[in-house]
DNA sequence: TACAATTTTGTTATGATATAACAAGTAAAA
DNA sequence: TTTTACTTGTTATATCATAACAAAATTGTA
């Protein structure tokens, strides 16, 4: 069974933002974004670029209006279409994912790879891990095809308890 | 590879409701609901029961406000909490599923079986098939566990083109 | 450059989905 | 029958998202 890459967006378990530094991820993501947009003749404008950065800077999936507030603080227009347009752009460029069950948006860690967004979402700390699982993808395609269904997009969102929170709650019970 | 049951909720491909008769499904679902609620000491009140029926009568996942309108027509209270309370009850009893990517609700065809709702959603006709796929379920549990994650719930929503719509569009191109 | 075409952004308004909070009613248990 | 738990009514509001059209910026082209 082939192994898959995974990406933990946060290293903390409280609701506060803090010193966690994943600047490398952010830088990489932004560079990838620049490259992809350039290749495809897409314009990564100021507001789109900044929206993408802010999404990456968040340790958790970010709601549209949370993002809008951050943008507004920085002098961007504060009307909803501003943020939804940026989100639409980033989504269709494959630079972010929408977590449907949270109505929130998350930076995509492998925008260059043409993949599906599979997520593990912790009920407790609300951190989200993205994972890529080729076996499941293949099985779903096969399964759909078996019913004559041509698969185009997948929403795979798994909720439960992450390792840290499981440990913590076990500790609390002991 | 083991096979799984599936359930096609609609037999038509237009947006209109019509003579399609899945009264048997509805009757079975309602009986199951009665039984399950009785067993668990839950009260399937008038509005909850009627909400469940209306969801089943729909050929597609039903939005909360669509359902609310139908209930209101029949003399039930027309304020949003009425419908959301009924939906919450039915969801937690496992009698319906929420399709997150559509913000809509669907009768659950195997409420008695304790399963996950996996869906195939046609982009064209918006019909939804529920399917149950033990292999994928097992693989997901294993995959999550491998990262120390304890899985509690799964949202698996696959979109694309159903057999009928694929046929139709092929016909149009010929 | 000047012009047209295209894309992006600004702006106002509204639609769609969902919940908070507290009062009143109803059914079940003691 | 009184208490308790649960369910429903009611008003208000929070949250998520888009329609429609005007203005500005960018790009392509003569």
């Amino acid at each position: 069974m082939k192994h898959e890459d995974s990406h933990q967006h946060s290293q903390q378990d409280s609701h506060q933002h803090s010193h966690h530094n994943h600047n490398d991820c952010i830088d990489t993501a932004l560079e990838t974004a620049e490259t992809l947009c350039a290749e495809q003749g897409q314009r990564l404008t100021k507001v789109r670029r900044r929206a993408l950065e802010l999404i990456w800077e968040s340790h958790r999936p970010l709601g549209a209006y949370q993002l809008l507030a951050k943008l507004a603080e920085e002098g961007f227009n504060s009307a909803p279409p501003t943020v939804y347009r940026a989100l639409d752009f980033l989504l269709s460029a494959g630079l972010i994912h929408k977590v449907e069950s949270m109505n929130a948006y998350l930076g995509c860690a492998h925008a260059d790879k043409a993949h599906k967004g599979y997520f593990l979402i912790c009920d407790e700390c609300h951190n989200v891990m993205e994972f890529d699982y080729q076996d499941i993808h293949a099985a779903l395609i096969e399964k759909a095809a078996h019913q004559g269904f041509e698969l185009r997009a997948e929403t795979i969102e798994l909720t439960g308890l992450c390792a840290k929170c499981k440990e913590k709650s076990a500790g609390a019970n002991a």
Side-chain angles (χ1 to χ4, degrees), chain A:
Chain A
M1 198 178 248
K2 170 169 163 289
H3 254 171
E4 60 289 335
D5 53 340
S6 76
H7 183 82
Q8 168 78 56
H9 283 181
S10 171
Q11 307 196 344
Q12 54 177 30
D13 45 17
S14 81
H15 281 195
Q16 316 153 39
H17 286 199
S18 73
H19 342 289
H20 162 72
N21 190 316
H22 63 171
N23 288 340
D24 291 350
C25 316
I26 300 177
D27 291 348
T28 306
L30 267 287
E31 274 169 37
T32 305
E34 298 276 13
T35 307
L36 286 177
C37 289
E39 280 173 13
Q40 294 165 25
Q42 297 284 61
R43 284 149 63 184
L44 190 62
T45 61
K46 279 186 188 173
V47 65
R48 290 170 177 173
R49 197 194 144 89
R50 189 61 188 137
L52 181 57
E53 277 178 349
L54 287 167
I55 288 170
W56 271 102
E57 283 171 13
S58 164
H59 290 179
R60 267 166 270 282
L62 201 57
Y65 279 70
Q66 291 174 272
L67 175 56
L68 183 58
K70 287 174 193 278
L71 288 170
E73 275 176 19
E74 302 183 4
F76 291 98
N77 187 354
S78 67
T82 298
V83 77
Y84 282 104
R85 282 165 179 161
L87 290 170
D88 285 348
F89 175 86
L90 297 170
L91 283 168
S92 59
L95 298 171
I96 61 173
H97 293 293
K98 178 175 185 182
V99 182
E100 294 287 350
S101 58
M102 301 176 80
N103 292 318
Y105 303 84
L106 188 68
C108 169
H110 354 75
D112 49 343
K113 279 191 201 158
H115 69 294
K116 315 296 166 181
Y118 292 179
F119 305 108
L120 287 173
I121 303 164
C122 181
D123 285 331
E124 199 68 33
C125 66
H126 304 107
N127 281 333
V128 174
M129 284 194 291
E130 184 178 353
F131 67 99
D132 181 29
Y133 199 4
Q134 290 307 321
D135 290 347
I136 287 181
H137 179 58
L140 289 174
I141 287 180
E142 193 207 348
K143 164 65 185 162
H146 186 258
Q147 306 204 2
F149 196 96
E150 180 187 317
L151 205 55
R152 283 181 187 158
E154 300 165 45
T155 299
I156 311 275
E157 301 175 5
L158 312 180
T159 61
L161 216 51
C162 74
K164 288 199 180 247
C165 290
K166 201 165 62 177
E167 228 175 75
K168 225 207 233 168
S169 75
N173 293 340

